Amino acid sequence: MSWSEKISAGDWPAIMQSVAEAIVTAVFVVTFLLQAFTIPSESMEHTLLVGDYVLVDKFCYGGSVGWNRLLPYRNVHRGDIVVFHYPVNPAQDFVKRVVALPGDRLRLINKRVYINGALVAEPYTQYIPTARSPYLDDFRAPNLPSSQ
Protein backbone atom coordinates (compact mmCIF):
# COMPACT_ATOMS: atom_id res chain seq x y z
CA MET A 1 0.00 0.00 0.00
CA SER A 2 1.47 3.35 -1.02
CA TRP A 3 1.62 6.51 1.09
CA SER A 4 -1.16 8.20 -0.88
CA GLU A 5 -3.45 5.21 -0.41
CA LYS A 6 -2.92 5.30 3.38
CA ILE A 7 -4.33 8.83 3.53
CA SER A 8 -8.02 8.74 2.89
CA ALA A 9 -9.89 11.64 1.34
CA GLY A 10 -11.28 12.58 4.75
CA ASP A 11 -7.78 13.18 6.20
CA TRP A 12 -6.84 15.99 3.78
CA PRO A 13 -8.56 18.82 5.69
CA ALA A 14 -6.80 17.79 8.90
CA ILE A 15 -3.44 17.60 7.12
CA MET A 16 -3.93 21.02 5.51
CA GLN A 17 -4.91 22.47 8.88
CA SER A 18 -1.73 21.07 10.46
CA VAL A 19 0.43 22.49 7.66
CA ALA A 20 -1.26 25.90 7.96
CA GLU A 21 -0.74 25.92 11.75
CA ALA A 22 2.95 25.07 11.29
CA ILE A 23 3.40 27.89 8.76
CA VAL A 24 1.62 30.46 10.97
CA THR A 25 3.71 29.41 13.99
CA ALA A 26 6.96 29.64 12.00
CA VAL A 27 6.09 33.11 10.68
CA PHE A 28 5.23 34.29 14.22
CA VAL A 29 8.48 32.94 15.66
CA VAL A 30 10.66 34.46 12.91
CA THR A 31 8.83 37.80 13.04
CA PHE A 32 8.73 38.33 16.81
CA LEU A 33 10.94 35.88 18.73
CA LEU A 34 13.92 34.26 16.98
CA GLN A 35 15.67 34.54 13.65
CA ALA A 36 18.76 32.93 12.17
CA PHE A 37 21.42 35.13 10.55
CA THR A 38 24.55 34.24 8.60
CA ILE A 39 27.83 36.04 9.35
CA PRO A 40 28.65 37.83 6.04
CA SER A 41 32.15 39.20 6.70
CA GLU A 42 35.36 38.55 8.62
CA SER A 43 35.03 41.63 10.85
CA MET A 44 34.50 39.46 13.96
CA GLU A 45 36.84 36.56 13.18
CA HIS A 46 37.96 34.42 16.13
CA THR A 47 34.54 35.13 17.64
CA LEU A 48 32.27 34.49 14.68
CA LEU A 49 33.55 33.15 11.36
CA VAL A 50 32.27 33.89 7.86
CA GLY A 51 29.35 31.58 7.14
CA ASP A 52 28.56 30.90 10.82
CA TYR A 53 24.91 31.04 11.81
CA VAL A 54 23.67 32.89 14.87
CA LEU A 55 20.21 32.55 16.36
CA VAL A 56 19.08 36.03 17.40
CA ASP A 57 16.69 36.63 20.29
CA LYS A 58 14.43 39.43 19.02
CA PHE A 59 12.67 39.68 22.37
CA CYS A 60 15.75 40.77 24.35
CA TYR A 61 16.03 44.54 23.83
CA GLY A 62 13.29 47.12 23.96
CA GLY A 63 12.05 50.33 25.46
CA SER A 64 11.02 51.11 29.01
CA VAL A 65 7.70 52.87 28.45
CA GLY A 66 4.12 51.65 28.23
CA TRP A 67 3.63 47.92 27.70
CA ASN A 68 7.37 47.46 27.28
CA ARG A 69 7.80 47.57 31.08
CA LEU A 70 5.88 44.30 31.36
CA LEU A 71 8.12 42.43 28.94
CA PRO A 72 11.51 40.90 29.80
CA TYR A 73 13.60 43.53 28.01
CA ARG A 74 17.09 44.54 29.09
CA ASN A 75 19.42 47.39 28.18
CA VAL A 76 22.26 47.02 25.70
CA HIS A 77 25.66 46.51 27.37
CA ARG A 78 29.21 46.90 26.09
CA GLY A 79 30.40 43.65 24.56
CA ASP A 80 26.93 42.50 23.46
CA ILE A 81 26.69 41.19 19.91
CA VAL A 82 23.77 42.80 18.09
CA VAL A 83 22.19 42.49 14.65
CA PHE A 84 20.82 45.59 12.95
CA HIS A 85 19.88 46.84 9.50
CA TYR A 86 22.62 48.71 7.66
CA PRO A 87 21.34 52.33 7.45
CA VAL A 88 22.42 52.84 3.82
CA ASN A 89 20.94 49.52 2.63
CA PRO A 90 18.22 48.28 5.03
CA ALA A 91 18.07 44.93 3.21
CA GLN A 92 21.56 44.14 4.53
CA ASP A 93 21.97 43.02 8.14
CA PHE A 94 25.07 43.81 10.21
CA VAL A 95 26.31 41.61 13.06
CA LYS A 96 28.54 43.71 15.32
CA ARG A 97 29.78 44.00 18.90
CA VAL A 98 28.66 46.99 21.01
CA VAL A 99 31.73 49.08 21.84
CA ALA A 100 30.24 52.18 23.46
CA LEU A 101 26.91 53.35 24.82
CA PRO A 102 25.03 56.62 24.36
CA GLY A 103 26.89 59.44 26.07
CA ASP A 104 30.29 57.73 25.93
CA ARG A 105 33.25 59.53 24.37
CA LEU A 106 34.89 57.14 21.94
CA ARG A 107 38.40 57.44 20.48
CA LEU A 108 40.48 55.13 18.35
CA ILE A 109 44.22 55.81 18.72
CA ASN A 110 46.85 53.47 17.23
CA LYS A 111 44.21 50.76 16.72
CA ARG A 112 43.28 50.86 20.42
CA VAL A 113 39.82 51.84 21.68
CA TYR A 114 39.49 54.48 24.41
CA ILE A 115 36.14 55.09 26.06
CA ASN A 116 35.80 58.18 28.25
CA GLY A 117 39.59 58.52 28.22
CA ALA A 118 40.33 54.96 29.45
CA LEU A 119 41.87 52.21 27.34
CA VAL A 120 39.42 49.36 26.87
CA ALA A 121 40.70 45.81 27.40
CA GLU A 122 39.47 43.78 24.45
CA PRO A 123 40.79 40.20 24.75
CA TYR A 124 38.61 39.08 21.83
CA THR A 125 40.32 41.39 19.32
CA GLN A 126 43.31 40.68 17.13
CA TYR A 127 45.68 43.20 15.62
CA ILE A 128 46.90 42.19 12.18
CA PRO A 129 49.77 44.40 10.97
CA THR A 130 48.76 46.26 7.84
CA ALA A 131 49.75 49.49 6.18
CA ARG A 132 49.04 52.34 8.57
CA SER A 133 46.06 54.52 7.70
CA PRO A 134 45.45 57.56 9.91
CA TYR A 135 41.86 57.66 8.71
CA LEU A 136 41.12 54.05 9.73
CA ASP A 137 43.49 53.61 12.69
CA ASP A 138 42.88 56.88 14.56
CA PHE A 139 39.60 58.46 15.56
CA ARG A 140 40.92 61.36 17.55
CA ALA A 141 39.02 64.21 19.15
CA PRO A 142 38.27 67.05 16.78
CA ASN A 143 40.10 70.32 17.20
CA LEU A 144 37.54 72.22 19.23
CA PRO A 145 37.68 75.91 20.12
CA SER A 146 39.04 76.59 23.62
CA SER A 147 35.53 77.56 24.88
CA GLN A 148 34.45 73.92 24.59
Side-chain angles (χ1 to χ4, degrees):
M1 181 181 284
S2 70
W3 178 80
S4 60
E5 292 172 355
K6 291 180 182 177
I7 300 175
S8 65
D11 291 340
W12 284 108
I15 291 172
M16 294 309 293
Q17 180 181 359
S18 296
V19 169
E21 288 174 0
I23 290 171
V24 168
T25 302
V27 167
F28 175 80
V29 167
V30 167
T31 303
F32 297 108
L33 301 178
L34 299 171
Q35 187 172 352
F37 289 92
T38 305
I39 305 302
S41 70
E42 61 278 347
S43 66
M44 292 186 62
E45 271 194 0
H46 295 295
T47 301
L48 298 169
L49 301 175
V50 175
D52 281 354
Y53 289 94
V54 291
L55 194 58
V56 175
D57 178 6
K58 290 184 167 186
F59 208 58
C60 186
Y61 301 119
S64 59
V65 294
W67 286 101
N68 293 336
R69 280 185 261 155
L70 300 175
L71 300 173
Y73 291 138
R74 75 175 186 85
N75 292 329
V76 177
H77 298 101
R78 282 188 195 104
D80 287 353
I81 295 175
V82 296
V83 178
F84 58 94
H85 297 292
Y86 181 48
V88 177
N89 180 7
Q92 184 179 4
D93 296 310
F94 270 18
V95 180
K96 300 293 178 189
R97 185 181 307 275
V98 175
V99 176
L101 300 172
D104 285 344
R105 302 185 80 138
L106 179 68
R107 285 189 178 176
L108 183 63
I109 302 172
N110 296 327
K111 297 185 181 183
R112 301 287 190 231
V113 176
Y114 290 82
I115 297 177
N116 301 325
L119 178 64
V120 177
E122 299 176 299
Y124 43 81
T125 60
Q126 61 176 346
Y127 299 102
I128 301 170
T130 59
R132 179 130 175 76
S133 168
Y135 179 75
L136 296 175
D137 297 337
D138 295 321
F139 188 68
R140 297 181 186 269
N143 295 331
L144 299 175
S146 59
S147 64
Q148 295 182 350

